[in-house]
Amino acid sequence: MRLFHTPFVLKNKQLTLSEERVVKHARVLRLQVWNEIAVQDTVDGVTIRYICCIAEMSKNHILCNILSSDQRLLETWIGMLVGIPNTNDKLHTIVQKLTEIGISDIVFWKNDRSTGQDISVKKLSKICKISLESLEQSNGRQLPTISQVDNIHERVVGKELVLFDFEWQDVTSIQWIPTDRLYGVVWPEGHFSPRDYETIWFQVVSKISLGDHILRTETAAITGAWALKNLI
C-alpha cells in the first residue's frame, strides 16, 4: 500500500489531498478510484495515519474515504550530528538511511577537518525531498528536520552527546540514556581535530566504538544511528 506523508483536509470522514507532488505521483503510479492508500501527517509530535480508499481523482486533488485511522506519538527522539561528507552522493545516502532508521533531527556540521562544501539552500531542498521519499518508501512515521550549523557549540548546549570514535567501549555495554536530548556525533573525513574535541567534550555522556576498522563518514553515521535507535 502506497504511503503519502502530506498535509490534508479532513471533513466528514473524507480526506482531500491537494499537494502537487502527491497528485502527480499518484498519476505516475497509475492509482485509480477504489485503490487503497495510506495518508499521514505529523502535528505537535503526533503522527496520524489514515487508511483510505480513493473516491475521486482530478488534476488538482485526490478525494479519499477514510477506512481506518492510527494515531501515535513520535518514536524515540534521536538526533545525529554528522560531519559534512565530501560528495553529494554520500550526503544523499546519509539522509536517506537516517530517515529510514527513524532519526528525528539530522544536523550537518563543518568542522576543522571537513572537506565537504557548505549545504546551499538548493541542496538542502533536494535532500529534504530525498528524506520525504525515503520516509514514504520505508513506511516510516517520523520525518526528520535537516540543517547545517557552523557553530556546533551553540547547537549542543543543553544536549547529551554520544561520541562515536575509536578505542571506546562497545555499544552493547552502554547503559540506557534518556533520549529527549540525545545526539550521536560522527566524524567527517579527516576525523575530529583537537579543537573539535574541546568544543563538544563537556556535553559528551558516552563514547562508543564502532569497531577496529576506520569507517567512512556515511558508514559511521548509518551504523551509529541504528545503534542509538535500537540498542540504547
Side-chain angles (χ1 to χ4, degrees):
M1 183 183 300
R2 178 67 202 192
L3 169 66
F4 293 104
H5 185 95
T6 179
F8 52 79
V9 176
L10 176 62
K11 184 178 181 180
N12 298 329
K13 296 185 178 181
Q14 289 186 315
L15 289 179
T16 301
L17 312 178
S18 56
E19 184 182 0
E20 183 180 3
R21 174 191 68 90
V22 173
V23 176
K24 285 184 177 181
H25 202 168
R27 290 203 299 268
V28 170
L29 294 173
R30 298 184 179 180
L31 295 178
Q32 300 176 0
V33 172
W34 302 116
N35 287 160
E36 292 186 8
I37 61 173
V39 179
Q40 71 178 26
D41 196 12
T42 302
V43 180
D44 296 331
V46 178
T47 297
I48 303 177
R49 178 179 295 184
Y50 293 95
I51 306 302
C52 309
C53 178
I54 298 176
E56 178 184 309
M57 295 183 67
S58 73
K59 294 182 179 181
N60 301 314
H61 76 276
I62 301 173
L63 180 66
C64 304
N65 294 323
I66 298 174
L67 303 177
S68 62
S69 63
D70 180 14
Q71 178 174 309
R72 297 185 190 180
L73 293 174
L74 290 181
E75 301 170 357
T76 303
W77 198 99
I78 298 287
M80 289 292 293
L81 295 165
V82 184
I84 297 177
N86 56 10
T87 69
N88 286 336
D89 286 344
K90 293 180 180 180
L91 181 69
H92 297 169
T93 297
I94 291 170
V95 168
Q96 182 186 67
K97 301 309 178 185
L98 266 56
T99 300
E100 292 174 2
I101 291 169
I103 298 303
S104 308
D105 188 23
I106 304 172
V107 182
F108 292 99
W109 60 302
K110 192 169 185 178
N111 73 347
D112 289 347
R113 295 177 178 174
S114 293
T115 57
Q117 297 180 349
D118 288 338
I119 300 174
S120 64
V121 173
K122 182 178 180 180
K123 187 182 297 185
L124 180 61
S125 176
K126 181 175 182 178
I127 60 178
C128 285
K129 290 179 181 178
I130 290 172
S131 177
L132 179 57
E133 291 172 357
S134 298
L135 180 80
E136 293 178 340
Q137 292 171 6
S138 64
N139 198 40
R141 290 181 178 266
Q142 189 167 8
L143 185 66
T145 55
I146 304 173
S147 61
Q148 177 188 333
V149 296
D150 297 319
N151 188 336
I152 193 66
H153 176 75
E154 293 180 357
R155 190 57 178 261
V156 302
V157 169
K159 306 296 190 300
E160 295 174 328
L161 307 183
V162 174
L163 183 64
F164 294 101
D165 206 346
F166 301 106
E167 299 178 358
W168 301 119
Q169 54 190 318
D170 184 78
V171 64
T172 56
S173 68
I174 300 294
Q175 296 181 349
W176 180 84
I177 302 170
T179 56
D180 57 338
R181 298 177 302 170
L182 182 63
Y183 280 85
V185 184
V186 173
W187 59 85
E189 278 81 5
H191 209 52
F192 295 118
S193 71
R195 190 169 70 169
D196 293 330
Y197 278 116
E198 292 176 2
T199 300
I200 65 175
W201 195 255
F202 70 102
Q203 298 291 150
V204 173
V205 294
S206 290
K207 302 171 287 292
I208 299 177
S209 171
L210 294 178
D212 298 331
H213 294 180
I214 298 175
L215 303 181
R216 296 178 182 271
T217 298
E218 66 273 26
T219 307
I222 296 166
T223 306
W226 187 92
L228 287 185
K229 193 70 176 179
N230 294 280
L231 299 182
I232 292 182

